[in-house]
Amino acid sequence: MKLKLYSSMGVLEYWIADWRAKQIQVYRRENGILTLVMTLFENDTLTSPLLSDFSCLISQIFE
């Protein structure tokens, strides 16, 4: 529900964190809608083209 709302409001990027699975789904605006572009797991690093200096290991998020 939030994904559809944020998509309709023009949000450029949306992350969904699943603490049970220790993963983050990254959605980015493509052709006017938020589309799943990647799923990151514990050994991956989260970055964003919108946050040029941001970088975080997924494992650190779920400590």
Side-chain angles (χ1 to χ4, degrees):
M1 190 159 113
K2 281 186 183 179
L3 181 62
K4 287 182 182 181
L5 174 63
Y6 291 167
S7 187
S8 70
M9 298 304 290
V11 169
L12 300 177
E13 188 170 83
Y14 183 60
W15 304 340
I16 298 176
D18 181 341
W19 62 273
R20 288 184 184 116
K22 295 185 179 178
Q23 69 182 30
I24 294 182
Q25 294 176 317
V26 177
Y27 291 80
R28 292 197 179 120
R29 181 162 296 285
E30 292 181 0
N31 301 317
I33 60 168
L34 289 171
T35 304
L36 180 63
V37 293
M38 67 182 85
T39 301
L40 302 170
F41 300 93
E42 278 189 276
N43 294 325
D44 296 325
T45 300
L46 177 61
T47 60
S48 171
L50 302 175
L51 304 169
S52 59
D53 294 329
F54 175 78
S55 174
C56 184
L57 290 170
I58 300 300
S59 60
Q60 288 180 316
I61 294 171
F62 296 109
E63 286 183 344

